[in-house]
Amino acid sequence: MSEWSDQLTAALTERFGDALSDCRVALGEVTIEVPAERLVEVCTALRDEEPFRFDQLTDLCGVDYLYWGVDEWRRGENTESGYSRGVTDTTSTGRLTFGDEAPGRSMEHPRFAAVIHLLSLPRNQRLRIRCYGPDDEAPMLPTLTSVWPGANWFEREAFDLFGILFEGHPDLRRILTDYGFVGHPFRKDFPLIGHVEMRFDPEKGRVIYQPVTIEPRVLVPKIIRHDNRYARPAEEGENDA
């Protein structure tokens, strides 16, 4: 742990106390967890108060912890068969189709969270905040647009892709998917093939939506190919006549 992260962790713990659910250094960056009801209060202090001065929100994204660490992609080591369970296991969430119900889960914390990354320009320090949405069915967090106006489009993206709601947002609507899109495509139980597909109908003279017709499949990220790209280089003199 570096000196600056030690100092920042101590300052956060002293200033906010029980307002933080957790405060640690993770992946080389100070990370705090804040309850939804204290998020705006804590973020306002992080922006305004002298020991912190996190004046820039660099990113806000959604996270879905459904099947975190227990799905078919988790392996202790890589093998020649690669991630075959993702291809052969018919219970894979990637093989779900419209109407299928995802298997149950067991987790100690809520399913959805927003992760916020802050930058202090005066101090050249970074901070990560994680805030869970208390309700899995309708995850609701307070908007941070009143603290950092740049959170506007980030929160719209988290709503569009994960279905996370931001109370008080001035214009919470989809930003990446189509107006009539069904569901939230970054949720872990969203079918990889989607719910519907669209095509141009020459008889109707317009684009129409119809039930998806492609087969669900999971791509294998590791494939060993035996061709000239991986051929063993010839030893010196091996091919001499």
Side-chain angles (χ1 to χ4, degrees), residues 6 37 104 110 126 162 165 204 208 227 233:
D6 275 337
E37 63 273 13
R126 295 182 183 272
F162 291 93
L165 303 169
K204 296 182 179 180
I208 64 169
D227 56 30

Side-chain angles (χ1 to χ4, degrees), residues 15-16 19 37-46 49 144 147:
R15 167 61 179 85
F16 297 107
E37 63 273 13
R38 305 291 296 272
L39 183 62
V40 174
E41 169 196 344
V42 171
C43 287
T44 302
L46 289 172
E49 295 185 8
L144 293 178
V147 185

Side-chain angles (χ1 to χ4, degrees), residues 21 164 229:
S21 304
I164 299 174
R229 290 175 294 174

Side-chain angles (χ1 to χ4, degrees), residues 156-215:
R156 285 181 59 188
E157 182 182 61
F159 162 70
D160 190 359
L161 301 180
F162 291 93
I164 299 174
L165 303 169
F166 293 89
E167 186 176 11
H169 191 284
D171 187 24
L172 192 62
R173 56 192 170 93
R174 293 187 182 271
I175 192 172
L176 293 175
T177 57
D178 193 10
Y179 294 110
F181 194 87
V182 177
H184 305 281
F186 275 19
R187 289 191 172 189
K188 297 299 184 182
D189 53 358
F190 188 86
L192 294 182
I193 60 173
H195 293 312
V196 296
E197 64 185 24
M198 65 179 185
R199 66 177 177 85
F200 181 78
D201 189 321
E203 295 183 359
K204 296 182 179 180
R206 61 180 176 86
V207 171
I208 64 169
Y209 289 87
Q210 64 185 30
V212 66
T213 57
I214 62 175
E215 291 293 329

Side-chain angles (χ1 to χ4, degrees), residues 62-81:
V63 181
D64 182 358
Y65 288 98
L66 185 69
Y67 315 129
W68 173 256
V70 297
D71 72 0
E72 73 278 4
W73 297 107
R74 186 180 185 184
R75 297 185 65 91
E77 60 183 9
N78 292 332
T79 65
E80 286 193 2
S81 61

Side-chain angles (χ1 to χ4, degrees), residues 66-67 70-74 83-97 100-103 188-193 216-219:
L66 185 69
Y67 315 129
V70 297
D71 72 0
E72 73 278 4
W73 297 107
R74 186 180 185 184
Y83 296 84
S84 58
R85 283 182 292 177
V87 178
T88 59
D89 187 355
T90 57
T91 63
S92 162
T93 56
R95 289 176 170 267
L96 294 175
T97 57
D100 289 345
E101 184 175 349
K188 297 299 184 182
D189 53 358
F190 188 86
L192 294 182
I193 60 173
R217 64 193 179 104
V218 178
L219 299 180

